[in-house]
Amino acid sequence: MNFSLVISNGTVVDGTGGEPYVADIGVRDGRIAAVTPGGGLSDADADEVIDATGLVVTPGFVDIHTHYDGQVTWDPMLTPSCWHGVTTAVMGNCGVGFAPVTEAKRQWLIGLMEGVEDIPGAALSEGIKWGWESFPQYLDEIDRLPLAIDVGTHVPHGSVRAYVMGERGARNEPASPEDIALMAKLVREGVEAGALGFSTSRTIAHKAIDGEPVPGTFAAEDELFAIGQALAAAGTGVFELAPAGIMGEDLAAPDREMDWMLRLAELTGRTVCFGLMQHDAVPDDWKRLLDLAAGAYEAGIPLRPQVPARPLGLLTGLQTFNAFSTRPSYLAAVERSAGDLDALVAALRDPAVRRAVLTESDSPTNKMPYLSQLDRTFNLGNPPEYEPAPEASLAREAERAGRDPFDYAYYLLLSDWGRALFFRPLLNYSEFTHDAIREMLVHPATAVGLGDGGAHAGAICDASNTTYLLTHWARDRTRGAQIPLATAVKKMTLDTATIYGLGDRGVIAEGKKADLNVIDFERLQLRPPAVEHDLPGGARRLLQRADGYRATIVSGQVVLRDGEDTGARPGALVRGAR
């Protein structure tokens, strides 16, 4: 038997949820050609053999919620997702993206993406190599790019609405019947050309850089249902959305959203996949919403809540923002330092500056007062801790040290020469525990996602959710029940691939696409996030790596070895049904 690659003697966690077993895996022509429990391929004729003795072998992870719509045009690796075992990334979520577009609206779409997803507009402006107008042309452009991993995308509501309605669409004015018909036509064309679905956002927390809510936020049912029926007519595609109320901004909204989403899923037969999280104001409401979705799921109606693997939280510090970010003396020190972190640390260590900052009040226009809640802010640490106990908060640490909490926080901000990061959970951490997250994760109706790879460059770094599922949930958790390794792997392989109709991947079986991870599970570990200036033009972003991925394989080729790029570019655009 001739193989391009043999992975021998690995502990196979095959993506089905079944018990792990030791086997050899043979790869030929980008596909899994043989899986032999107990071994048997070690003497086969192979171009390369990876000895996986003592290692875990999984399918490549399918991350269904990323925002690489611009980055894909300049970064073939799609970092940081590739560092966390992701071999297929689905972008174009939350109603934002870069097609369809007229030349006059390119900069406006950049401002929309910058505002909604916190991706530096200057980096997008410099990095994107425009070469399309229609959505099918955008897909063709991606298809020509050299890529390490596979990518798929949605048709974004914001782009479609602005393309059809111009300024009326950008300002969220009601759509006419003619507008709706044309939008539905464009969505169907995009899906029939290979888009994996359609996405929209209805939360007022998602705003363009000019402060205007993302187009589609207030779309009426006739608009939403016409687009849903366009997917039904095409016979393919997921309807993905960030629903109103997802950030806790409107506690009455979830019931209205559940009503129309349920009706849409039942009418069209297309999967409606919506974000679901726990809010501090109503910490048990997620249970009711999950029950409603579960009832629909059990009745065969494809309504699927999408949930993250850990709290949605901000990473705060001198390099991002913090409890002092709106105080006049702090802002003056930032201005004097002119972007030089060492200079900022030196300025803030001046006793006079320190006294001034600590005695001043926040600006009356401060839009992030929760950063001053030090009883809910934690040292992130190394390795990073995303399930800290209440007594680990900065306020409680300060109390034990006999110090004022803000004085203590100021002191910690300057540690590690200003590179220290703190974790401020905003959602999914109402009771200082991951128990709610676990219940959401293991439910058969839910999809794991919301990692936002490529987005929130200056505040959040959750593209490592896949690694966290393995380390925290399947191995390290001590403050509650864990999740079996086989279950954790299934949630981010077979389950996510199935939602998007990607039946050629997500499991280790003969004939399936040879997207695989070889993992030193005992050594697998997240590194702390760090601020890097590696976007086009030197713009900054938060990045997080991991140790323990021995090999990540796409279509039978090793694209990363011990976390480092091999130069192989077997990745491709994943098109839906055509």
mmCIF file of all heavy atoms in Angstrom, residues 245-261:
data_model
loop_
_atom_site.group_PDB
_atom_site.id
_atom_site.type_symbol
_atom_site.label_atom_id
_atom_site.label_comp_id
_atom_site.label_asym_id
_atom_site.label_seq_id
_atom_site.Cartn_x
_atom_site.Cartn_y
_atom_site.Cartn_z
ATOM 1 N N GLY A 245 -30.461 41.448 21.873
ATOM 2 C CA GLY A 245 -30.399 41.037 23.267
ATOM 3 C C GLY A 245 -29.249 40.124 23.607
ATOM 4 O O GLY A 245 -29.056 39.792 24.782
ATOM 5 N N ILE A 246 -28.425 39.732 22.626
ATOM 6 C CA ILE A 246 -27.352 38.784 22.907
ATOM 7 C C ILE A 246 -26.339 39.326 23.911
ATOM 8 O O ILE A 246 -25.742 38.574 24.683
ATOM 9 C CB ILE A 246 -26.633 38.354 21.611
ATOM 10 C CG1 ILE A 246 -25.638 37.215 21.905
ATOM 11 C CG2 ILE A 246 -25.956 39.539 20.944
ATOM 12 C CD1 ILE A 246 -24.983 36.644 20.680
ATOM 13 N N MET A 247 -26.151 40.652 23.933
ATOM 14 C CA MET A 247 -25.198 41.264 24.855
ATOM 15 C C MET A 247 -25.871 41.739 26.147
ATOM 16 O O MET A 247 -25.238 42.417 26.955
ATOM 17 C CB MET A 247 -24.496 42.440 24.179
ATOM 18 C CG MET A 247 -23.722 42.067 22.926
ATOM 19 S SD MET A 247 -22.361 40.921 23.237
ATOM 20 C CE MET A 247 -21.255 41.968 24.184
ATOM 21 N N GLY A 248 -27.154 41.400 26.331
ATOM 22 C CA GLY A 248 -27.870 41.856 27.518
ATOM 23 C C GLY A 248 -28.353 43.278 27.406
ATOM 24 O O GLY A 248 -28.780 43.879 28.389
ATOM 25 N N GLU A 249 -28.324 43.817 26.170
ATOM 26 C CA GLU A 249 -28.672 45.227 25.981
ATOM 27 C C GLU A 249 -30.183 45.456 25.953
ATOM 28 O O GLU A 249 -30.636 46.588 26.062
ATOM 29 C CB GLU A 249 -28.029 45.745 24.684
ATOM 30 C CG GLU A 249 -28.691 45.308 23.382
ATOM 31 C CD GLU A 249 -28.349 43.899 22.938
ATOM 32 O OE1 GLU A 249 -27.620 43.194 23.678
ATOM 33 O OE2 GLU A 249 -28.807 43.501 21.861
ATOM 34 N N ASP A 250 -30.963 44.379 25.775
ATOM 35 C CA ASP A 250 -32.419 44.491 25.716
ATOM 36 C C ASP A 250 -32.984 43.180 26.239
ATOM 37 O O ASP A 250 -33.043 42.183 25.521
ATOM 38 C CB ASP A 250 -32.869 44.757 24.268
ATOM 39 C CG ASP A 250 -34.387 44.916 24.149
ATOM 40 O OD1 ASP A 250 -35.096 44.642 25.135
ATOM 41 O OD2 ASP A 250 -34.842 45.307 23.062
ATOM 42 N N LEU A 251 -33.439 43.181 27.474
ATOM 43 C CA LEU A 251 -33.849 41.931 28.116
ATOM 44 C C LEU A 251 -35.179 41.406 27.591
ATOM 45 O O LEU A 251 -35.510 40.233 27.805
ATOM 46 C CB LEU A 251 -33.922 42.119 29.633
ATOM 47 C CG LEU A 251 -32.600 42.520 30.306
ATOM 48 C CD1 LEU A 251 -32.789 42.668 31.806
ATOM 49 C CD2 LEU A 251 -31.505 41.506 29.991
ATOM 50 N N ALA A 252 -35.947 42.260 26.901
ATOM 51 C CA ALA A 252 -37.215 41.801 26.329
ATOM 52 C C ALA A 252 -37.036 41.231 24.933
ATOM 53 O O ALA A 252 -37.922 40.552 24.414
ATOM 54 C CB ALA A 252 -38.221 42.953 26.295
ATOM 55 N N ALA A 253 -35.892 41.488 24.315
ATOM 56 C CA ALA A 253 -35.696 41.116 22.912
ATOM 57 C C ALA A 253 -35.644 39.606 22.669
ATOM 58 O O ALA A 253 -36.156 39.143 21.640
ATOM 59 C CB ALA A 253 -34.427 41.775 22.380
ATOM 60 N N PRO A 254 -35.009 38.807 23.536
ATOM 61 C CA PRO A 254 -34.862 37.383 23.209
ATOM 62 C C PRO A 254 -36.161 36.660 22.899
ATOM 63 O O PRO A 254 -36.195 35.798 22.006
ATOM 64 C CB PRO A 254 -34.174 36.816 24.455
ATOM 65 C CG PRO A 254 -33.373 37.958 24.990
ATOM 66 C CD PRO A 254 -34.236 39.155 24.748
ATOM 67 N N ASP A 255 -37.243 36.997 23.591
ATOM 68 C CA ASP A 255 -38.505 36.313 23.301
ATOM 69 C C ASP A 255 -39.021 36.658 21.914
ATOM 70 O O ASP A 255 -39.533 35.785 21.195
ATOM 71 C CB ASP A 255 -39.547 36.672 24.364
ATOM 72 C CG ASP A 255 -39.246 36.025 25.699
ATOM 73 O OD1 ASP A 255 -39.156 34.792 25.739
ATOM 74 O OD2 ASP A 255 -39.081 36.749 26.691
ATOM 75 N N ARG A 256 -38.887 37.931 21.519
ATOM 76 C CA ARG A 256 -39.305 38.321 20.167
ATOM 77 C C ARG A 256 -38.442 37.618 19.116
ATOM 78 O O ARG A 256 -38.946 37.162 18.087
ATOM 79 C CB ARG A 256 -39.199 39.838 19.993
ATOM 80 C CG ARG A 256 -40.101 40.656 20.921
ATOM 81 C CD ARG A 256 -40.156 42.109 20.479
ATOM 82 N NE ARG A 256 -38.856 42.758 20.476
ATOM 83 C CZ ARG A 256 -38.339 43.413 21.520
ATOM 84 N NH1 ARG A 256 -39.021 43.486 22.660
ATOM 85 N NH2 ARG A 256 -37.161 43.987 21.424
ATOM 86 N N GLU A 257 -37.157 37.536 19.397
ATOM 87 C CA GLU A 257 -36.250 36.897 18.452
ATOM 88 C C GLU A 257 -36.536 35.403 18.328
ATOM 89 O O GLU A 257 -36.554 34.839 17.235
ATOM 90 C CB GLU A 257 -34.793 37.119 18.878
ATOM 91 C CG GLU A 257 -34.368 38.581 18.913
ATOM 92 C CD GLU A 257 -34.292 39.190 17.526
ATOM 93 O OE1 GLU A 257 -35.317 39.715 17.054
ATOM 94 O OE2 GLU A 257 -33.226 39.158 16.904
ATOM 95 N N MET A 258 -36.758 34.740 19.462
ATOM 96 C CA MET A 258 -37.048 33.312 19.420
ATOM 97 C C MET A 258 -38.305 33.032 18.614
ATOM 98 O O MET A 258 -38.376 32.027 17.882
ATOM 99 C CB MET A 258 -37.191 32.766 20.837
ATOM 100 C CG MET A 258 -35.888 32.653 21.607
ATOM 101 S SD MET A 258 -34.721 31.455 20.904
ATOM 102 C CE MET A 258 -35.588 29.931 21.215
ATOM 103 N N ASP A 259 -39.289 33.913 18.711
ATOM 104 C CA ASP A 259 -40.546 33.706 17.998
ATOM 105 C C ASP A 259 -40.328 33.654 16.495
ATOM 106 O O ASP A 259 -40.729 32.700 15.817
ATOM 107 C CB ASP A 259 -41.539 34.811 18.366
ATOM 108 C CG ASP A 259 -42.827 34.719 17.567
ATOM 109 O OD1 ASP A 259 -43.592 33.772 17.790
ATOM 110 O OD2 ASP A 259 -43.050 35.598 16.700
ATOM 111 N N TRP A 260 -39.672 34.686 15.928
ATOM 112 C CA TRP A 260 -39.528 34.705 14.472
ATOM 113 C C TRP A 260 -38.471 33.702 13.996
ATOM 114 O O TRP A 260 -38.613 33.121 12.903
ATOM 115 C CB TRP A 260 -39.252 36.109 13.938
ATOM 116 C CG TRP A 260 -37.895 36.690 14.190
ATOM 117 C CD1 TRP A 260 -37.543 37.583 15.147
ATOM 118 C CD2 TRP A 260 -36.691 36.452 13.419
ATOM 119 N NE1 TRP A 260 -36.209 37.898 15.058
ATOM 120 C CE2 TRP A 260 -35.672 37.223 14.002
ATOM 121 C CE3 TRP A 260 -36.397 35.647 12.325
ATOM 122 C CZ2 TRP A 260 -34.361 37.210 13.521
ATOM 123 C CZ3 TRP A 260 -35.089 35.637 11.831
ATOM 124 C CH2 TRP A 260 -34.099 36.422 12.426
ATOM 125 N N MET A 261 -37.421 33.474 14.797
ATOM 126 C CA MET A 261 -36.410 32.499 14.372
ATOM 127 C C MET A 261 -37.011 31.095 14.278
ATOM 128 O O MET A 261 -36.722 30.345 13.332
ATOM 129 C CB MET A 261 -35.227 32.506 15.345
ATOM 130 C CG MET A 261 -34.358 33.741 15.267
ATOM 131 S SD MET A 261 -32.820 33.616 16.226
ATOM 132 C CE MET A 261 -33.437 33.447 17.911
#
